[in-house]
Amino acid sequence: MTVGDLVEVGSWAFRVISTSREGSGPVSAAGAAAQDEIDLGFKPTKPAGRAPAAAREPSKHASPVYRLLQGVVMVLLLLLVVVGVTELMGAKDRSGGRTEKGIAFAYECVRGDADNIFRYSLELTRDGRASIEVDDCRSRHISKRAQLSAEELEHLSRRLAGSRGFFKINSSREGKVPGKYELYDVALTLDGDFNHVRVLNREMPADLRQTIAILEDFAFEALDISFTLMEDDASLIRYAQDAFRLGEESYAERDSAYANLAKAIRHFTEAITYLETMEPRPDPYDAAMRLLEQARAEQDQRYKDYMFNVDRAMRLGDWAEAKRQLRVLAELIPDRSDERFEVISSKQLEAEDKLR
């Protein structure tokens, strides 16, 4: 290619010219190509050098928005670290560093002699499952279960919290008594405290007796069972005999005090309750039934007689006499569950109102 040549590239046309100074000799084609080589875009070019710092665009790291985002990220990272540490500390506490709330127990009672072996057990798990089992060598085999509410568990925990002496009792007291076996075995955990107390043929410590009473009361209420299930036949017969004796004494003195007839009825009923689960029914079951019938019939007749006197006094406007007769009736019928008690109370309020 020489000076003056026309070069066509697509729709473009280029003419080769000379860039030599005036006075210089003719330039050969090779020289012209070497001196005035023209780049038509077909050869790769070297990257241009970096522009001076002053000419470059400002760095994004210096942007206020970038700095704000950087701060937000740092805060989020700190929050993640705090949450992670808290979870780790909580896990450590749950593994033993923190007191675990809740209640659970297992209680077993066994009484045995040459005639019979009686056993009952109470259990309560942490999730509120309560159960009772009663067995003997004769005919008693009872099992009952219930799911307790959070309120019932809280109520039991509060009651046991007042019996903390249980957790200070030595774990075992055992002895030997010929012809007798009497065991009380309680394992109880309450809000992180635990103790296991076993007493065999020995006198129970007062704190253990109190704890057992609370657990047995709990069984009566939560599992809706009769207290007679917690006693062996020999004990129930003994209780029945004591109640029957008191009933006979009160019935014999029914004319000396108005309340004695009601006391007799209560004692006879108690004696019958102790014995009604046994077959055949032992003494004094039949005698208690007979005297209970007599006492109730007598109480009913006296109620009618005194209530007749009350109604007559009210009709005559003798409110002081009505009040006196009603006081007798209140002693004769002291049981609030008796519907006659409500009648007496209503008339007493009426008499009091008239006497003001």
Side-chain angles (χ1 to χ4, degrees):
M1 180 181 300
T2 58
V3 176
D5 291 344
L6 181 68
V7 180
E8 295 182 0
V9 179
S11 60
W12 294 87
F14 303 90
R15 184 174 297 280
V16 180
I17 62 174
S18 175
T19 57
S20 300
R21 291 188 181 89
E22 238 183 80
S24 61
V27 180
S28 65
Q35 293 178 12
D36 301 326
E37 185 175 353
I38 299 173
D39 184 8
L40 299 180
F42 301 107
K43 295 181 180 180
T45 59
K46 294 182 181 181
R50 294 185 62 185
R56 293 199 302 267
E57 294 182 359
S59 172
K60 66 177 180 179
H61 297 286
S63 168
V65 175
Y66 177 81
R67 291 183 178 178
L68 177 61
L69 290 175
Q70 189 179 39
V72 171
V73 171
M74 291 299 295
V75 170
L76 290 175
L77 288 174
L78 287 174
L79 286 175
L80 287 174
V81 171
V82 170
V83 171
V85 171
T86 302
E87 287 296 321
L88 288 174
M89 294 298 290
K92 182 178 180 180
D93 288 340
R94 289 191 294 272
S95 66
R98 184 183 63 187
T99 299
E100 186 174 0
K101 297 292 183 180
I103 179 174
F105 68 80
Y107 164 44
E108 181 181 29
C109 173
V110 181
R111 303 190 194 106
D113 55 25
D115 296 327
N116 191 24
I117 298 176
F118 170 77
R119 170 190 174 273
Y120 69 87
S121 64
L122 288 171
E123 289 188 5
L124 176 67
T125 61
R126 281 192 179 276
D127 57 359
R129 289 178 293 174
S131 63
I132 182 172
E133 293 183 356
V134 183
D135 299 279
D136 65 13
C137 292
R138 294 175 179 172
S139 60
R140 197 184 308 190
H141 302 288
I142 300 166
S143 178
K144 192 168 185 179
R145 287 168 172 73
Q147 178 66 47
L148 305 188
S149 65
E151 291 75 15
E152 289 173 311
L153 293 174
E154 179 63 24
H155 176 66
L156 178 60
S157 296
R158 286 199 303 268
R159 293 188 63 187
L160 286 170
S163 184
R164 288 286 180 178
F166 169 82
F167 297 102
K168 301 177 182 178
I169 302 173
N170 292 333
S171 60
S172 180
R173 298 184 182 188
E174 299 187 6
K176 292 184 179 180
V177 178
K180 177 184 176 182
Y181 186 93
E182 188 169 346
L183 169 70
Y184 298 92
D185 192 329
V186 180
L188 170 65
T189 177
L190 176 64
D191 295 341
D193 290 331
F194 173 80
N195 198 14
H196 180 198
V197 180
R198 176 184 170 90
V199 175
L200 174 62
N201 294 334
R202 295 285 298 273
E203 183 68 23
M204 277 195 294
D207 289 319
L208 176 60
R209 189 181 301 277
Q210 180 184 4
T211 300
I212 287 177
I214 293 172
L215 297 182
E216 291 182 347
D217 288 345
F218 152 78
F220 303 149
E221 299 167 3
L223 294 171
D224 190 25
I225 63 170
S226 168
F227 67 94
T228 59
L229 291 180
M230 314 289 280
E231 299 290 345
D232 59 276
D233 289 354
S235 298
L236 292 175
I237 291 172
R238 186 173 66 253
Y239 299 156
Q241 290 170 342
D242 292 343
F244 180 73
R245 177 178 51 79
L246 292 173
E248 283 186 311
E249 293 174 359
S250 297
Y251 187 68
E253 298 174 359
R254 61 191 181 280
D255 294 329
S256 61
Y258 301 116
N260 282 341
L261 192 56
K263 289 181 181 178
I265 291 172
R266 186 172 69 252
H267 291 311
F268 291 144
T269 302
E270 183 181 358
I272 292 168
T273 301
Y274 289 134
L275 305 175
E276 64 186 357
T277 60
M278 301 181 192
E279 289 293 345
R281 307 279 170 64
D283 291 334
Y285 182 85
D286 292 337
M289 285 291 292
R290 184 180 66 255
L291 288 176
L292 177 61
E293 266 185 56
Q294 293 178 14
R296 282 177 172 170
E298 204 166 322
Q299 184 191 50
D300 188 56
Q301 187 58 51
R302 292 191 181 191
Y303 171 80
K304 291 176 181 178
D305 292 342
Y306 282 107
M307 189 56 73
F308 175 81
N309 294 335
V310 168
D311 291 337
R312 182 178 61 184
M314 286 183 167
R315 286 195 301 270
L316 296 174
D318 190 350
W319 295 103
E321 177 62 16
K323 180 180 178 179
R324 189 183 71 81
Q325 296 285 337
L326 286 166
R327 189 181 301 115
V328 173
L329 281 169
E331 294 183 37
L332 185 68
I333 313 289
D335 185 3
R336 292 179 177 271
S337 63
D338 191 322
E339 61 182 13
R340 295 173 296 183
F341 181 88
E342 294 297 329
V343 176
I344 296 168
S345 298
S346 177
K347 289 184 178 290
Q348 281 181 315
L349 291 174
E350 184 179 355
E352 290 287 348
D353 187 59
K354 294 292 184 181
L355 289 171
R356 288 176 183 171

